[in-house]
Amino acid sequence: MKFHVLTLFPNMILDGINHSIIARAIANNLIDLSAVNIRDFSSNKHNKVDDYPYGGGVGLVMAAAPIYNAYKSLNVKKGTKVVYLTPKGELFSQKKARELAKEEELILLCGHYEGIDQRVIDEIVTDEISIGDYVLTGGELAAMVLIDATTRLVENVIKEEATANESFENNLLEYPQYTRPAVFMNREVPAVLLNGNHAEIEKFRLEQSIKLTKERRPDLLNLYENCDN
Ligand code: ADE
């Protein structure tokens, strides 16, 4: 899977995400990451990419042409999704990450200042995604969140079993995990995890997941109870 990020801060993306599992996925050619500097596509002699909003108001708006030209330079296949990261977008989720992980190629558009000229959004954007109900200074961190969550669901990046039972799969939060030693600061690992009875362990973990979800995310528990499990 190939991610192209259209941004004013390409190094933020390239330095920020190229670590750990993502770096290994890049090294193993499971994903590819390119960051295109929108400023390189400005026709202005000062490389300006923003301007005052028509109609007045505070702040500057990113102009349509440099973004459109940066997009065209990618020369992607027709139908390639273009995701604009914006607080106005659909809330990002594990479900959306699974959906995006199936794409061959994805373009991520990062905004700055007071937003982007609506006409280029209307022209090229297929999806608008928010990573939460707060406003960031730009779309780059949101793009990195999306790349990280999506990459770990791309085939062969991590073992499928590792993602099957984690939080948000099946609308439940993940059960607590323990590793050696069996006693830490007088706190013992739950005995059921030591007895090797896999059916009992599974039952215990499901109970723990349901308890945690009930306490912390009752909204998810409703979804869990209303779907086939
Ligand atoms: N850009 C600024 N804030 C954002 C958010 N919450 N999600 C996605 N992109 C953003």
Side-chain angles (χ1 to χ4, degrees):
M1 169 166 203
K2 189 166 176 109
F3 296 96
H4 305 275
V5 185
L6 304 179
T7 169
L8 290 174
F9 300 96
N11 287 339
M12 199 172 160
I13 302 287
L14 297 173
D15 299 342
I17 196 91
N18 197 3
H19 300 276
S20 177
I21 290 170
I22 309 299
R24 206 173 61 213
I26 294 170
N28 293 337
N29 294 319
L30 296 170
I31 67 155
D32 189 55
L33 179 61
S34 82
V36 174
N37 193 339
I38 294 167
R39 202 173 291 283
D40 292 345
F41 294 85
S42 165
S43 55
N44 181 283
K45 68 173 186 245
H46 302 295
N47 287 340
K48 222 168 87 107
V49 290
D50 51 17
D51 215 329
Y52 294 99
Y54 275 121
V58 287
L60 296 165
V61 175
M62 283 174 74
I67 292 171
Y68 184 71
N69 292 334
Y71 162 76
K72 287 303 273 182
S73 78
L74 295 173
N75 214 2
V76 289
K77 263 197 227 149
K78 211 164 167 251
T80 300
K81 285 192 169 175
V82 180
V83 176
Y84 171 37
L85 286 313
T86 166
K88 291 191 277 190
E90 166 197 351
L91 212 50
F92 191 51
S93 63
Q94 190 71 5
K95 182 163 169 263
K96 189 72 183 179
R98 278 220 180 266
E99 204 180 294
L100 295 177
K102 296 194 188 100
E103 298 292 323
E104 219 176 282
E105 218 166 354
L106 207 56
I107 298 174
L108 305 178
L109 171 60
C110 303
H112 261 268
Y113 316 117
E114 287 307 308
I116 291 179
D117 189 313
Q118 186 62 37
R119 292 167 296 179
V120 71
I121 297 173
D122 294 343
E123 186 66 30
I124 67 171
V125 168
T126 59
D127 298 61
E128 298 193 25
I129 292 181
S130 163
I131 61 160
D133 291 340
Y134 40 79
V135 180
L136 302 165
T137 53
E140 284 75 13
L141 284 169
M144 286 191 262
V145 166
L146 186 152
I147 293 167
D148 188 293
T150 303
T151 295
R152 56 195 296 289
L153 299 173
V154 168
E155 222 178 334
N156 297 326
V157 170
I158 47 182
K159 287 199 192 88
E160 226 169 275
E161 305 92 271
T163 63
N165 285 319
E166 64 190 359
S167 293
F168 307 114
E169 300 293 345
N170 322 317
N171 296 311
L172 288 177
L173 300 182
E174 194 183 0
Y175 48 80
Q177 297 276 20
Y178 301 89
T179 186
R180 287 190 292 183
V183 182
F184 170 71
M185 310 277 273
N186 284 332
R187 294 169 189 268
E188 290 179 10
V189 170
V192 61
L193 299 178
L194 306 174
N195 73 9
N197 183 330
H198 291 291
E200 270 186 34
I201 291 173
E202 218 170 286
K203 182 168 166 277
F204 171 76
R205 285 178 165 168
L206 180 61
E207 284 165 3
Q208 292 288 308
S209 273
I210 291 173
K211 181 170 171 275
L212 207 62
T213 312
K214 194 172 176 177
E215 283 165 12
R216 298 184 182 176
R217 293 293 303 273
D219 56 317
L220 284 181
L221 196 64
N222 286 338
L223 293 174
Y224 169 75
E225 283 167 347
N226 291 327
C227 69
D228 298 331
N229 293 295

